[in-house]
Amino acid sequence: MASLIGVSSSPYPTQTSHFPPSRSNSISSLIQLKRDSAQRLLLLRVSCSSRKVEDAETESEPKVVLSNTSADTSISAYNWCAALGGVGFLETSYLTYLKLTNSEAFCPVGDGSSCGNILNSSYSAVFGVPLPLIGMIAYGVVAVLGIQLGQKRMPLGIGEAYGRLLLLGTSTSMAAASAYFLYILSTQFSGEFCLYCLASALLSFGLFISSIKGLGSQEVQKEVGLQLLIVLLVVSTLNNSYSASQPTNTSSAMTELEYFTTEIKSPSTPFAISLAKHLRSIGAKMYGAFWCSHCQEQKEMFGREASKLLDYVECFPDGVKKGIYMANACQEAKLEGFPTWIINGEVLSGEKKLSELAELSGFTMNELTEAK
């Protein structure tokens, strides 16, 4: 019995001796597991925060690149404005020289006369100011603004924002004028070609696009009202100028009329010859048209010999054609009808008797009594 108890009691000490360590191990394992979990959570948080920092840095990098790209685009647009403005300045300077010297333009395309017909037409001046001169000033302003904005150095204390608006306004007016002139070319000069006119229009449109890129689409949208106002002012000014410059004596039946000469049949008196010489010596001019019957009658008053001595200006030397009206000298004189005399700076419209012309010009002669 005792042996059985002894044998059977031997396991208990063993189980008793192993149980406490097993429980302690379980608790320590649990604590270790919690510690491992806490460390893993901490590592996950650190990893997530580091990823957020990396993502933020990654997102911030494209913004810097876009900003630089925008700045480069802006500078490039202003360089284009400076270049196109310079080319336009050279072209309009050449045309201004031709206009002021009454020289013929070199036309490399076409029959050679189209350029001259268009550049010398009534549409080549705005209220008496040569159109190439206006273009030369406009292209010069755009070229200077493009250079200054590209270098970010505006003259006269003008801010960069105002400089951009000034460039946009100038290029908008030039593009509007070019569009108006293209309409005139297609309606009034059908079948004729002017390389200088088309080149100037392309330059103006290129400047307009470049100025828009330089300012930015969002800023341009804010100034749409200003641009529309500029377009209306330009079109209205040009329309009023050309409406006022058209002669009132021409009719729709005379849209095509070839130039012809008329013979003076009456002989000249000594008084008429002396008066004609006097009028020419003081710079008096008679403006007329080959189709004008009153001009013919005025010449008949002087007679064959004296009429050839007059300083007579034919306002339609190339005939009357659609879109081509008067010579430059007649446009600058701002004639209201034919014939027109300009004596000592005084403009006199209509036929004048020889005695009137003698009195107005200060001519005195014994034959004056006979003429009356």
Side-chain angles (χ1 to χ4, degrees):
M1 189 70 178
S3 62
L4 290 172
I5 295 172
V7 172
S8 60
S9 62
S10 60
Y12 293 109
T14 304
Q15 292 178 359
T16 304
S17 61
H18 286 84
F19 179 75
S22 175
R23 184 177 182 182
S24 175
N25 291 337
S26 299
I27 294 173
S28 62
S29 298
L30 182 59
I31 293 173
Q32 184 66 29
L33 180 60
K34 290 181 178 181
R35 289 178 179 177
D36 293 341
S37 300
Q39 290 178 355
R40 290 177 180 176
L41 289 175
L42 181 60
L43 291 175
L44 287 174
R45 290 177 181 176
V46 172
S47 177
C48 289
S49 63
S50 63
R51 288 181 180 177
K52 290 180 179 180
V53 172
E54 292 176 358
D55 293 339
E57 293 177 354
T58 304
E59 292 176 358
S60 63
E61 290 177 359
K63 293 180 180 179
V64 175
V65 173
L66 290 175
S67 177
N68 293 335
T69 303
S70 177
D72 294 340
T73 303
S74 176
I75 294 174
S76 176
Y78 295 136
N79 288 338
W80 272 108
C81 287
L84 294 176
V87 174
F89 180 81
L90 294 177
E91 180 202 11
T92 49
S93 297
Y94 170 68
L95 296 179
T96 301
Y97 167 78
L98 296 178
K99 189 73 174 177
L100 297 178
T101 58
N102 293 323
S103 303
E104 291 294 332
F106 170 72
C107 193
V109 181
D111 57 0
S113 62
S114 296
C115 292
N117 292 338
I118 296 174
L119 295 175
N120 294 323
S121 69
S122 59
Y123 295 100
S124 62
V126 178
F127 290 114
V129 181
L131 187 60
L133 179 60
I134 299 176
M136 184 179 69
I137 296 174
Y139 280 118
V141 170
V142 169
V144 172
L145 287 175
I147 294 173
Q148 296 297 326
L149 287 171
Q151 297 177 354
K152 297 187 180 299
R153 293 185 302 177
M154 294 302 300
L156 304 176
I158 301 176
E160 185 176 352
Y162 289 104
R164 292 177 178 178
L165 287 178
L166 181 59
L167 177 62
L168 179 64
T170 306
S171 62
T172 300
S173 62
M174 296 172 68
S178 296
Y180 184 89
F181 293 138
L182 289 178
Y183 167 76
I184 294 296
L185 286 175
S186 62
T187 56
Q188 302 297 328
F189 298 93
S190 57
E192 298 193 37
F193 182 81
C194 178
L195 179 63
Y196 300 104
C197 305
L198 297 179
S200 182
L202 291 176
L203 289 172
S204 299
F205 293 144
L207 286 171
F208 177 67
I209 296 174
S210 298
S211 62
I212 287 179
K213 289 185 177 180
L215 189 61
S217 58
Q218 294 181 352
E219 293 295 329
V220 171
Q221 292 176 1
K222 297 179 182 179
E223 306 298 336
V224 170
L226 177 61
Q227 290 179 281
L228 291 177
L229 178 60
I230 292 174
V231 171
L232 290 176
L233 288 175
V234 170
V235 174
S236 176
T237 301
L238 294 175
N239 188 58
N240 291 335
S241 173
Y242 295 145
S243 298
S245 65
Q246 308 308 323
T248 57
N249 298 64
T250 56
S251 62
S252 58
M254 295 177 58
T255 54
E256 294 290 340
L257 186 62
E258 296 295 331
Y259 175 79
F260 60 86
T261 58
T262 54
E263 182 182 358
I264 307 300
K265 299 180 180 180
S266 61
S268 299
T269 64
F271 170 73
I273 295 175
S274 298
L275 178 59
K277 292 180 179 179
H278 171 72
L279 291 172
R280 190 177 187 90
S281 66
I282 65 173
K285 294 180 181 295
M286 174 187 170
Y287 296 84
F290 67 94
W291 44 262
C292 172
S293 59
H294 296 286
C295 301
Q296 182 71 10
E297 293 173 2
Q298 182 73 84
K299 292 179 181 179
E300 288 286 353
M301 291 182 187
F302 280 90
R304 288 190 299 270
E305 297 80 10
S307 61
K308 295 178 181 179
L309 298 174
L310 295 173
D311 191 355
Y312 173 75
V313 180
E314 172 58 54
C315 294
F316 296 87
D318 298 324
V320 178
K321 299 178 182 179
K322 186 177 181 181
I324 301 177
Y325 295 94
M326 294 192 297
N328 292 339
C330 300
Q331 294 179 34
E332 295 171 358
K334 299 180 180 179
L335 307 179
E336 296 182 356
F338 302 116
T340 294
W341 287 91
I342 296 183
I343 303 174
N344 295 327
E346 186 178 0
V347 180
L348 307 168
S349 299
E351 297 176 55
K352 301 297 178 185
K353 295 181 179 180
L354 298 186
S355 57
E356 292 181 73
L357 294 173
E359 183 178 356
L360 292 169
S361 64
F363 177 72
T364 58
M365 192 176 177
N366 295 332
E367 290 86 348
L368 183 58
T369 305
E370 298 178 3
K372 291 182 178 180

